[in-house]
Amino acid sequence: VQLQASGGGLVQAGDSLRLSCAARGSIFRSNTVAWFRQTPGKQRELVARENGDGNTEYVDSVKGRFTLYRDNGENFMSLQMDSLKPGDTGVYYCYVRKNRGPWGTNEYWGQGTQVTVSS
């Protein structure tokens, strides 16, 4: 599976952006999907994750502002980001984890898309 994130850009605080993740390969509803972000000097941080059960969890700093959507088709996942803050600045990565049962798990990462929020 190959993933490609898109939709990043330079916006002002309070603006909205919608990131998309496209997949070359099969993504099933049972797969875990997520968005991470990373800023220079910091570890990659989980932003939102849906574990294939319909329930989505968010890091506290984005609750109420970000929404992860799943869809059918090539663009299988998006992240709607509203009321953006400078602290949301970073490179955003989409992620998929496939559970292969007794054979372990496979993880896939997109290449990242830059989001910059100016104050």
Side-chain angles (χ1 to χ4, degrees):
V1 176
Q2 291 181 316
L3 305 179
Q4 183 166 354
S6 62
L10 171 63
V11 296
Q12 293 186 331
D15 286 350
S16 297
L17 273 178
R18 191 174 184 111
L19 307 182
S20 294
C21 189
R24 181 174 294 181
S26 298
I27 306 296
F28 302 105
R29 282 285 175 172
S30 59
N31 297 149
T32 294
V33 298
W35 288 94
F36 288 75
R37 67 185 176 195
Q38 189 167 22
T39 54
K42 293 187 177 180
Q43 288 190 329
R44 196 168 292 188
E45 171 190 42
L46 175 66
V47 175
R49 176 173 59 203
E50 199 267 11
N51 290 317
D53 58 1
N55 294 312
T56 306
E57 55 188 284
Y58 299 91
V59 66
D60 286 346
S61 61
V62 309
K63 285 181 180 177
R65 300 188 298 118
F66 289 15
T67 306
L68 186 154
Y69 293 100
R70 297 191 70 161
D71 200 358
N72 298 317
E74 183 176 340
N75 290 308
F76 69 98
M77 177 172 66
S78 60
L79 184 68
Q80 177 66 39
M81 306 187 294
D82 298 322
S83 302
L84 282 160
K85 303 176 180 180
D88 296 320
T89 294
V91 178
Y92 283 70
Y93 299 88
C94 53
Y95 164 92
V96 171
R97 184 176 70 226
K98 289 177 172 280
N99 188 342
R100 300 172 61 239
W103 297 279
T105 60
N106 287 344
E107 296 182 317
Y108 306 93
W109 292 90
Q111 87 289 359
T113 185
Q114 176 71 46
V115 172
T116 304
V117 184
S118 63
S119 58

